Amino acid sequence: MLDPERIRSVVDLQQRSYKLLRWATDAVDRGFITFDRLHRYATLPEATLGWLESHYSDVPLNARPDRDQLRPFSNLFSTYLENSFDLIEQPGQRLFSPEAHCFCPMCSWLVAAPRLQTKKVSRQNKARARKLQQIAIKQVAVDHAHPIIDESIEALANDPALRETLALVAYGYDRLRRVDGVAEGPATLALWRGFAWTTHGSPNPDFELTAQAILDTQAKLGGAVLAT
Ligand SMILES: [Zn+2]
């Protein structure tokens, strides 16, 4: 069962991740974030953590996690960047000379922040997203101690009335793995589109992710599983 406290916490951290990226993009453009100090970080989560620790008071309150949440936040933020965007090298548009800036993982992303491109979702990513939804169905069946056969899992996974529900519950499980630093790659983007996009394939401008929606859909999926 998705733990309500953990889901609320991770959705809060996720909203701060969006705001941090938006703020950082603007701050890079305005020259507020500079890259003249060399860092020695090997991985993006480590670089994010170190960067946040030293810039903590610069980050706006609504984008800043509590200090005791810096590590899970750094895990979530780094997987958000790596799984959602491609780092495109466009030397002609570089704001900073290649020799002069820090090339640690965080600075490399921040330098590119104003020009990030959303990753494409491949057929493989969609297949993996589908697998994650089937795993979520099995998990919910286990939570209810309800035996379920593969045919029923398949039938639920194919039910168009459960499209958003399945994507959102699987996404909830994925969030909890993310704060531990385990990421599924762009399959998560495919899940996201399952509930935040319309069936016509465009983003729903009114959509806003809430912890309550994840928990409510989990309960709804529980009902569907119990009916099999
Ligand atoms: Zn750096």
Side-chain angles (χ1 to χ4, degrees):
M1 204 79 76
L2 293 166
D3 177 51
E5 268 320 299
R6 290 187 67 207
I7 285 290
R8 282 189 199 103
S9 158
V10 76
V11 168
D12 175 70
L13 292 181
Q14 174 160 341
Q15 279 154 355
R16 289 174 197 277
S17 292
Y18 297 150
K19 287 173 187 147
L20 178 65
L21 181 61
R22 228 177 303 149
W23 171 78
T25 303
D26 186 53
V28 168
D29 265 345
R30 286 186 291 118
F32 182 69
I33 294 177
T34 54
F35 301 96
D36 44 7
R37 234 186 84 202
L38 295 183
H39 306 118
R40 293 176 178 278
Y41 304 120
T43 66
L44 185 55
E46 192 197 329
T48 307
L49 182 63
W51 190 92
L52 277 171
E53 278 168 346
S54 51
H55 292 87
Y56 192 74
S57 51
D58 299 332
V59 176
L61 278 175
N62 68 359
R64 182 203 290 180
D66 287 344
R67 277 203 186 266
D68 64 352
Q69 295 290 302
L70 281 179
R71 187 168 290 280
F73 178 81
S74 300
N75 287 337
L76 191 70
F77 184 73
S78 0
T79 59
Y80 164 51
L81 290 181
E82 289 179 331
N83 292 318
S84 311
F85 305 103
D86 285 318
L87 258 182
I88 307 285
E89 286 293 330
Q90 289 168 308
Q93 294 179 29
R94 262 212 191 121
L95 291 168
F96 305 92
S97 74
E99 308 78 45
H101 80 75
C102 172
F103 278 94
C104 85
M106 185 63 168
C107 291
S108 302
W109 275 97
L110 288 178
V111 163
R115 304 182 308 274
L116 292 180
Q117 299 196 357
T118 307
K119 268 192 190 299
K120 297 239 180 328
V121 174
S122 68
R123 199 183 310 168
Q124 235 174 355
N125 301 145
K126 285 181 190 161
R128 179 65 192 157
R130 194 178 152 76
K131 186 80 199 157
L132 291 174
Q133 296 183 2
Q134 291 169 341
I135 293 170
I137 295 170
K138 274 187 206 161
Q139 182 60 52
V140 168
V142 168
D143 292 341
H144 288 277
H146 180 79
I148 188 163
I149 54 171
D150 287 348
E151 284 74 12
S152 304
I153 294 176
E154 193 62 20
L156 290 176
N158 287 330
D159 185 348
L162 290 175
R163 168 187 174 262
E164 294 177 14
T165 304
L166 284 168
L168 195 47
V169 175
Y171 189 82
Y173 280 109
D174 177 73
R175 295 298 89 183
L176 297 187
R177 289 190 294 270
R178 292 282 186 115
V179 288
D180 293 331
V182 180
E184 283 289 346
T188 305
L189 284 181
L191 290 178
W192 173 265
R193 291 174 190 184
F195 52 83
W197 282 31
T198 67
T199 44
H200 305 295
S202 54
N204 171 1
D206 298 326
F207 181 81
E208 197 189 333
L209 181 70
T210 64
Q212 199 54 49
I214 295 176
L215 297 167
D216 289 348
T217 49
Q218 178 185 236
K220 184 179 168 192
L221 182 58
V225 163
L226 287 172
T228 63

